[in-house]
Amino acid sequence: MKDPVDILSALADPTRLGAIRLLWDGEEHCVCELMRKLGASQSRMSRHMATLKVAGLVIDRRDAQWVRYRRNPALSPAVAAVVDAALALPVTEKAEEIAA
């Protein structure tokens, strides 16, 4: 199991939490879609996704020039419960700005 500090740190950033919110549907999402929906540049989004990947929350797959991300299907029930709890928290103004 990954270090709880890595998991909680990964979820602490509004852009990363927004990405997790989008990826939590279990489907693959292209980095271009995440960039557009979260208002992030390609380099910024890539850094955020790398953090989520290191924390073990997402996996990726290269598709030509794009990278597609999805929820890590091998997450332990305990880690999935932590993410579910984070996603259940009320969305703050800052998170709404990012998601808009």
Side-chain angles (χ1 to χ4, degrees), residues 1-76:
M1 183 163 133
K2 293 288 186 176
D3 183 347
V5 172
D6 290 339
I7 294 164
L8 294 172
S9 294
L11 296 173
D13 180 87
T15 300
R16 289 193 295 267
L17 188 58
I20 286 292
R21 191 174 305 282
L22 294 169
L23 296 169
W24 219 239
D25 65 3
E27 300 296 321
E28 275 191 337
H29 295 270
C30 177
V31 72
C32 59
E33 175 189 349
L34 299 173
M35 289 166 46
R36 181 177 41 81
K37 289 187 174 182
L38 298 172
S41 67
Q42 190 277 329
S43 61
R44 183 171 164 239
M45 197 74 240
S46 291
R47 284 192 309 272
H48 283 304
M49 297 313 294
T51 300
L52 292 172
K53 189 175 172 185
V54 167
L57 299 174
V58 301
I59 58 174
D60 64 352
R61 177 178 69 85
R62 181 158 289 284
D63 181 19
Q65 76 270 24
W66 295 109
V67 179
R68 298 187 181 278
Y69 291 93
R70 68 182 173 113
R71 172 184 175 160
N72 185 346
L75 282 180
S76 72

